[in-house]
Amino acid sequence: MTAVYVEEGPDQGAIWHFGEPNKEQKALEDGKAWADLSHLSIIAVAGVDRLKWLHDLTTQYLLDFQAGVWTSAMVLDPQGHVEYQFVLVDDGATSWIVIDPPYVQGLLEYLNKMRFMLRVEVRNASSEFAVLRAPGKATDIGGPFALVPRSEIAEMEEVFGTTAMQVGTWALDAERVAAGRPRHGFDTDHKSIPNELGVLNNAVHMNKGCYRGQETVAKIFNLGNPPRRLVLLHLDGSQVVMPAPGTPVMNGEVQVGFLGTVARHFELGPIALAVVKRNTPVDAQLTVEGVAASQQVIVPA
């Protein structure tokens, strides 16, 4: 197999595919695939107060977080906009945060600023540890994942390779888009709030105490509707080149949203995530750079 690498963006340097993306997607769907995600950044949070501290800072309920369990979480700004999105796991002594490289420095600075007198230690552990997408059926956060020391990556990959096929980000993106899982920076903008993205009762726990931005999330959840909603678009497959992320989504002559991640799925064909105005009719025939697009509801209108 000849690896084709991602040339730009947050996944730069990662393997895009090995020349047979449909075969890779089928293996991933069957739970018989693994992927090297060592380009992602890792933050280590140690100290006896770490779980209570992370519970207070993030959108996730972490007070009784069990070792070895992976979950997703966000950090919001005071107005409820998404600032950081990540997955994390705890090993009983340290919590490990996996985040896209462009956001690691900002999150590190924020966490260190919020330490105060608590018994927590925060460091960038990207040079020490890496994450792999392990073999197995996809979880609701895109796993299963394996956190491994970088010195043991080759050994772990050899173990995975005895029972599963290595795949690239093309297959992972196709699975993620089909499942309706947004990725920060791809399917969000500076105005995005969790209510728009289909992450309530997932990355955002709805039965926990205060965290920054919670007032916006709770108010909209209890009293109204978000101004926009995430949708899955089924794109006309007659085009050779698909529109780029960020391209305006149009309803006739009116822009109603923007395109997020675009993927070619082995069964569904060209699909994409997009954020559109809430009042956009679900049955509206949308277009993206002239490409026809029909909606599949993720966040109800």
Side-chain angles (χ1 to χ4, degrees):
M1 296 187 296
T2 300
V4 178
Y5 291 87
V6 180
E7 296 182 351
E8 59 184 13
D11 293 327
Q12 184 176 8
I15 295 172
W16 184 27
H17 62 83
F18 290 93
E20 297 181 290
N22 285 351
K23 186 176 180 180
E24 293 175 36
Q25 290 181 47
K26 292 176 184 178
L28 190 66
E29 184 177 78
D30 292 339
K32 299 177 180 178
W34 67 275
D36 184 347
L37 301 178
S38 59
H39 64 288
L40 299 178
S41 297
I42 310 289
I43 294 175
V45 182
V48 295
D49 294 329
R50 68 190 183 284
L51 291 179
K52 173 63 167 64
W53 183 63
L54 289 171
H55 174 87
D56 291 340
L57 293 179
T58 74
T59 58
Q60 191 55 268
Y61 191 98
L62 299 171
L63 291 182
D64 54 1
F65 195 39
Q66 299 298 305
V69 176
W70 287 83
T71 192
S72 57
M74 292 177 166
V75 170
L76 310 181
D77 72 10
Q79 289 73 44
H81 304 127
V82 179
E83 278 200 335
Y84 303 105
Q85 176 193 39
F86 46 86
V87 297
L88 71 156
V89 67
D90 192 86
D91 63 9
T94 302
S95 295
W96 304 91
I97 293 172
V98 181
I99 190 168
D100 285 339
Y103 301 102
V104 63
Q105 189 58 40
L107 183 57
L108 276 168
E109 292 175 359
Y110 172 71
L111 293 176
N112 277 308
K113 184 174 66 175
M114 300 302 293
R115 287 172 56 194
F116 303 117
M117 300 299 292
L118 294 174
R119 293 166 293 178
V120 293
E121 298 176 1
V122 182
R123 75 178 193 278
N124 190 336
S126 303
S127 63
E128 307 165 50
F129 289 86
V131 67
L132 305 178
R133 202 301 194 169
K137 291 282 189 176
T139 68
D140 61 359
I141 63 171
F145 300 109
L147 181 75
V148 299
R150 286 195 175 269
S151 60
E152 299 177 12
I153 289 179
E155 179 182 349
M156 185 61 73
E157 290 181 346
E158 185 175 349
V159 172
F160 288 168
T162 60
T163 59
M165 168 190 286
Q166 184 177 3
V167 304
T169 60
W170 182 324
L172 295 175
D173 277 343
E175 184 276 323
R176 178 176 64 80
V177 173
R181 290 196 311 275
R183 183 178 178 184
H184 186 45
F186 286 74
D187 310 301
T188 63
D189 61 11
H190 67 285
K191 298 187 295 183
S192 293
I193 58 175
N195 310 64
E196 300 173 334
L197 303 175
V199 297
L200 302 187
N201 292 312
N202 191 334
V204 179
H205 199 286
M206 298 305 291
N207 295 305
K208 62 168 285 186
C210 291
Y211 54 87
R212 192 172 70 171
Q214 184 200 26
E215 182 178 355
T216 297
V217 175
K219 182 177 180 180
I220 293 176
F221 178 76
N222 291 312
L223 301 178
N225 294 298
R228 306 180 301 180
R229 56 188 176 86
L230 185 74
V231 297
L232 175 64
L233 294 183
H234 294 266
L235 303 171
D236 180 356
S238 62
Q239 302 291 326
V240 176
V241 178
M242 288 291 104
T247 302
V249 176
M250 309 296 293
N251 183 11
E253 300 297 320
V254 179
Q255 180 177 348
V256 294
F258 66 90
L259 196 66
T261 308
V262 182
R264 289 187 181 272
H265 193 274
F266 77 103
E267 287 184 326
L268 301 176
I271 54 176
L273 294 177
V275 174
V276 301
K277 294 180 179 178
R278 179 179 55 83
N279 59 3
T280 302
V282 173
D283 59 355
Q285 183 64 61
L286 306 178
T287 59
V288 189
E289 279 190 348
V291 176
S294 60
Q295 303 172 64
Q296 182 175 325
V297 174
I298 297 176
V299 177

